[in-house]
């Protein structure tokens, strides 16, 4: 081999090593030097967590957690690292009035400063925060709920059931559930009281998290909160009692006693102080036929969204009365009056429909009191919604990307020597940018039977994505005959994908996931 050729090969190896080294840290953005670059970043990224340090040495522990989080939330948010001891970045820190001692964490949302990071300095806490920066403090981080055992994922839950046979009540909840939020204080107090007595355990699991989708499916959880009682590591019954501290404690001390049933919620239509006109099948047409402007809320008593809207609807009716706003606000329980619901094609709750002189005109999407009153002052048909976006699979019939699901994933990848899988969500902006590049690469290598470019929609196949620990979008993973499994951290252009698949890694060169 000639010296020139040896030199070229050595140079290529050095370049590959540099690219590999860069890809390992690419999850954290470290190239922001001046204020202009910083503002540009905020204009292009709407979810940024910035770590400012007085020096890398003094904040080594925090930086380690930060980097691990960045890898986990890739595609969900942007992690920015600024070393204020660096000569080039001192001006930026001064301009931003940041004086880290030894570190400061700030979050920026939609182009502006949002808040200082105020959660635990752990990977799980940061991941939760970046997934929903405006959300409430996670229950597991609330000191008031310290005596509740919080299961982070299905694996931890299963492991506990195998090892701990104590009587246990598990509250399966989701962050957006109003009933869950109202119950948490009582549940936490009951956990503390039972812990003092010994031998009993109250636990909780947030099943909104993607990694907990298998648990949600296993117990067929459709309403929240759902409380399930376990004995000797096995499910025994669903708790149907009141959501109070005393009722929870009494149940755990003697689960064989039938709990006092939850009090029945009062019928909305029975409220004599309400300004809302409550309709029935017989009275529907007579009540509306002489009214020029009527908004009708079709609801179901059990519907959480309806319950949240009811006080806003009542407030709007009072405001209309006091300010002489013309029109009438009415409501109809579609579970009691299904004929009217079917006639006006009510498919979900609440459905808000506008009528004039008894004739249905159009649907309205207003749920806050101010918006309802604003609409009734000047009722206008809203513009038609844009046509639904085609799914990636439907966009281009000529695409060589394989769209797989739980049933086809393993059987397809077992036959492919080289497969690059993109786990994505349709709403994800980074996924939308990557899609055409991924498709172009798949089309370019379509003649190689050993190679496959695969896409998995995680909003449809949550269990499959959870199996491969997908925590952000897009997540790209390389497979070889389904045995070798390596995370892809390279660039996201078609050229990057093609180069990677033309010279794929081996398990010897990379650590497996």
């Amino acid at each position: 081999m000639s010296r020139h050729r040896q030199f070229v090969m050595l140079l290529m190896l050095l370049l590959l090593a540099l690219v590999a080294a860069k890809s390992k840290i690419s999850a954290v953005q470290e190239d922001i030097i001046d204020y202009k670059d910083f503002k540009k970043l905020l204009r292009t990224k709407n979810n940024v967590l910035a770590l400012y340090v007085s020096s890398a040495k003094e904040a080594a522990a925090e930086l380690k957690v930060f980097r691990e989080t960045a890898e986990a939330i890739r595609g969900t948010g942007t992690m920015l690292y600024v070393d204020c001891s660096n000569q080039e970045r001192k001006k930026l820190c001064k301009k931003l009035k940041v004086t880290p001692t030894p570190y400061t964490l700030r979050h920026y949302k939609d182009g502006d400063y949002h808040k200082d990071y105020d959660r635990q300095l752990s990977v799980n806490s940061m991941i939760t925060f970046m997934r929903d920066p405006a959300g409430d403090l996670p229950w597991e981080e609330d000191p008031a709920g310290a005596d509740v055992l919080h299961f982070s994922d299905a694996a931890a839950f299963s492991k506990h059931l195998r090892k701990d046979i104590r009587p246990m009540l598990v509250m399966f909840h989701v962050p957006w559930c109003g009933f869950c939020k109202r119950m948490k204080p009582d549940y936490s107090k009951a956990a503390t009281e039972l812990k003092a007595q010994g031998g009993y355990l109250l636990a909780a699991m947030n099943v909104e998290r993607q990694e907990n989708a298998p648990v949600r499916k296993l117990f067929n959880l459709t309403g929240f909160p759902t409380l399930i009682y376990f004995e000797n590591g096995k499910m025994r019954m669903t708790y149907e009692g009141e959501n109070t501290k005393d009722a929870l404690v009494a149940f755990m001390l003697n689960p064989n006693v039938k709990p006092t049933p939850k009090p029945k919620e009062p019928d909305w239509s029975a409220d004599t102080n309400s300004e809302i006109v409550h309709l029935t099948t017989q009275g529907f047409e007579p009540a509306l036929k002489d009214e020029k402007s009527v908004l009708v809320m079709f609801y179901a008593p059990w519907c959480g969204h309806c319950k949240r809207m009811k006080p806003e609807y009542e407030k709007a009716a009072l405001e209309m009365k006091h300010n002489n706003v013309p029109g009438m606000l009415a409501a109809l329980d579609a579970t009691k009056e299904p004929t009217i619901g079917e006639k006006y094609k009510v498919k979900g709750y609440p459905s808000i429909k506008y009528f004039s002189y008894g004739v249905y005109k159009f649907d309205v999407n207003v749920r806050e009191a101010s918006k309802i009153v604003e609409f009734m002052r000047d009722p206008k048909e809203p513009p038609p919604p844009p046509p639904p976006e085609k799914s990636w699979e439907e966009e281009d019939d000529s695409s060589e990307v394989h769209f797989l699901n739980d049933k086809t994933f393993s059987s397809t990848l077992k036959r492919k020597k080289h497969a690059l899988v993109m786990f994505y969500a349709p709403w994800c902006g980074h996924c939308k940018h990557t899609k055409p590049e991924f498709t172009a690469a798949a089309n370019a290598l379509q003649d190689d039977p050993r190679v496959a470019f695969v896409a998995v929609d995680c909003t449809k196949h949550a269990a499959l994505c959870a199996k491969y620990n997908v925590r952000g979008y897009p997540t790209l993973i390389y497979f070889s005959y389904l045995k070798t499994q390596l995370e892809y951290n390279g660039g996201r252009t078609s050229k990057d994908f093609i180069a990677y698949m033309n010279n794929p890694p081996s398990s010897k060169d990379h650590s497996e996931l």
Side-chain angles (χ1 to χ4, degrees):
M1 183 182 294
S2 68
R3 288 186 178 181
H4 177 71
R5 192 171 179 185
Q6 286 179 329
F7 175 76
V8 171
M9 289 189 67
L10 180 60
L11 186 62
M12 288 179 66
L13 288 170
L14 286 170
L15 287 170
L16 286 171
L18 286 170
V19 170
K22 187 177 180 181
S23 68
K24 290 179 182 178
I25 63 171
S26 60
V28 175
Q29 188 150 347
E30 302 181 37
D31 57 346
I32 301 299
I33 297 175
D34 57 33
Y35 186 68
K36 184 178 179 182
D37 292 336
F38 177 78
K39 295 301 288 183
K40 183 179 179 181
L41 175 72
L42 296 193
R43 286 197 302 271
T44 55
K45 306 293 183 181
N46 61 5
N47 182 17
V48 179
L49 185 62
L51 171 65
Y52 304 93
V53 302
S54 56
S55 75
K57 185 178 180 180
E58 290 182 14
E62 292 80 10
L63 183 54
K64 182 177 183 294
V65 172
F66 196 73
R67 292 195 187 283
E68 290 180 16
T69 304
E71 291 293 337
I73 62 100
R74 187 191 295 271
T76 301
T78 301
M79 308 291 275
L80 170 66
Y81 170 64
V82 181
D83 184 349
C84 293
S85 67
N86 181 284
Q87 195 63 35
E88 292 181 308
R89 293 168 176 80
K90 278 185 177 179
K91 289 184 179 179
L92 174 61
C93 296
K94 187 176 181 180
K95 178 76 173 177
L96 295 172
K97 297 180 180 179
V98 178
T99 53
T101 54
Y103 73 93
T104 296
L105 275 162
R106 289 185 178 179
H107 184 259
Y108 302 87
K109 185 173 181 287
D110 299 326
D112 292 311
Y113 168 77
H114 173 221
K115 62 187 291 189
D116 280 10
Y117 178 79
D118 56 359
R119 306 280 179 86
Q120 293 179 5
L121 194 66
S122 68
V123 175
N124 285 338
S125 293
M126 279 194 180
I127 291 172
T128 302
F129 176 80
M130 289 300 284
R131 286 176 176 173
D132 185 14
D136 297 330
L137 179 72
W139 193 8
E140 60 267 26
E141 295 183 25
D142 187 346
D147 293 323
V148 176
L149 175 63
H150 295 275
F151 294 116
S152 58
D153 53 39
F157 179 56
S158 299
K159 183 179 179 180
H160 180 89
L161 289 178
R162 290 195 300 270
K163 293 188 175 183
D164 196 328
I165 61 172
R166 285 181 295 172
M168 177 174 69
L169 187 64
V170 182
M171 175 176 163
F172 297 98
H173 63 98
V174 290
W176 46 261
C177 163
F179 293 104
C180 304
K181 290 179 181 179
R182 286 194 287 275
M183 185 177 179
K184 283 177 183 178
D186 276 273
Y187 197 80
S188 297
K189 290 174 184 176
T192 300
E193 186 170 323
L194 289 165
K195 182 180 179 180
Q197 298 193 35
Y200 306 95
L201 188 62
L202 293 195
M205 178 183 278
N206 177 2
V207 290
E208 179 79 350
R209 293 174 182 165
Q210 194 175 76
E211 56 268 29
N212 294 336
V215 175
R216 194 166 176 168
K217 186 176 182 180
L218 175 66
F219 294 110
N220 191 29
L221 304 174
T222 55
F224 303 101
T226 294
L227 287 82
I228 299 179
Y229 177 70
F230 295 83
E231 272 186 5
N232 297 316
K234 295 182 180 180
M235 175 182 172
R236 184 174 162 191
M237 68 180 81
T238 300
Y239 175 75
E240 298 291 349
E242 292 187 67
N243 297 341
T244 63
K245 185 206 73 167
D246 292 341
L248 290 164
V249 171
F251 171 80
M252 291 299 290
L253 295 177
N254 192 353
N256 295 313
V257 174
K258 190 174 181 180
T260 303
K262 298 177 185 178
K264 188 178 179 181
E265 290 191 30
D267 191 334
W268 188 16
S269 61
D271 185 357
T272 56
N273 296 317
S274 174
E275 295 294 332
I276 304 298
V277 176
H278 289 274
L279 304 171
T280 62
T281 300
Q282 292 75 19
F284 192 87
E285 290 184 5
L288 269 60
K289 68 182 180 68
D290 295 324
E291 294 289 339
K292 181 181 178 181
S293 183
V294 182
L295 207 57
V296 180
M297 173 183 168
F298 293 81
Y299 70 96
W302 45 259
C303 159
H305 294 293
C306 304
K307 290 176 181 179
R308 284 192 287 275
M309 182 180 169
K310 281 190 330 191
E312 294 291 316
Y313 207 52
E314 293 278 8
K315 183 179 176 182
L318 278 171
E319 189 173 331
M320 287 174 61
K321 179 181 179 181
H322 293 154
N323 296 320
N324 296 316
V325 177
M328 181 173 79
L329 298 188
L332 181 134
D333 182 347
T335 63
K336 285 184 178 179
E337 314 290 347
T339 305
I340 296 293
E342 289 172 9
K343 179 178 179 179
Y344 292 105
K345 299 178 181 178
V346 173
K347 296 180 179 179
Y349 306 112
S351 286
I352 304 111
K353 298 178 182 288
Y354 181 71
F355 292 78
S356 182
Y357 297 117
V359 178
Y360 162 72
K361 295 296 183 180
F362 47 80
D363 279 22
V364 182
N365 186 21
V366 287
R367 297 189 182 183
E368 297 175 4
S370 59
K371 297 293 183 183
I372 295 167
V373 175
E374 181 183 337
F375 170 81
M376 292 301 285
R377 288 183 187 276
D378 184 20
K380 288 182 180 178
E381 184 173 3
E389 289 186 20
K390 287 185 177 180
S391 69
W392 186 7
E393 189 172 0
E394 296 170 330
E395 283 176 5
D396 186 1
D397 295 336
S398 62
S399 170
E400 293 299 323
V401 175
H402 300 266
F403 295 90
L404 302 182
N405 54 40
D406 305 67
K407 295 179 180 178
T408 58
F409 190 85
S410 296
S411 58
T412 301
L413 265 62
K414 282 178 181 178
R415 301 195 302 268
K416 293 297 178 180
K417 186 174 183 180
H418 308 300
L420 190 59
V421 181
M422 178 174 161
F423 296 92
Y424 73 99
W427 45 260
C428 160
H430 295 290
C431 304
K432 291 178 181 179
H433 291 309
T434 306
K435 276 173 11 183
E437 301 294 331
F438 196 76
T439 300
N443 293 343
L445 297 179
Q446 62 179 302
D447 294 330
D448 190 340
R450 303 170 303 163
V451 173
F453 284 78
V454 173
V456 176
D457 183 347
C458 290
T459 63
K460 293 181 179 178
H461 312 296
L464 179 59
C465 296
K467 179 180 179 181
Y468 292 102
N469 200 31
V470 175
R471 294 182 176 179
Y473 306 118
T475 291
L476 292 112
I477 301 178
Y478 167 82
F479 293 85
S480 180
Y481 297 123
L482 201 61
K483 295 178 181 178
T484 302
Q485 179 187 334
L486 306 167
E487 185 174 356
Y488 174 85
N489 289 319
R492 296 185 183 177
T493 68
S494 58
K495 289 182 180 179
D496 294 321
F497 294 136
I498 292 168
Y500 184 88
M501 296 301 275
N502 280 333
N503 187 22
S506 67
S507 57
K508 294 179 182 179
D509 300 326
H510 294 67
S511 59
E512 294 196 16
L513 292 174

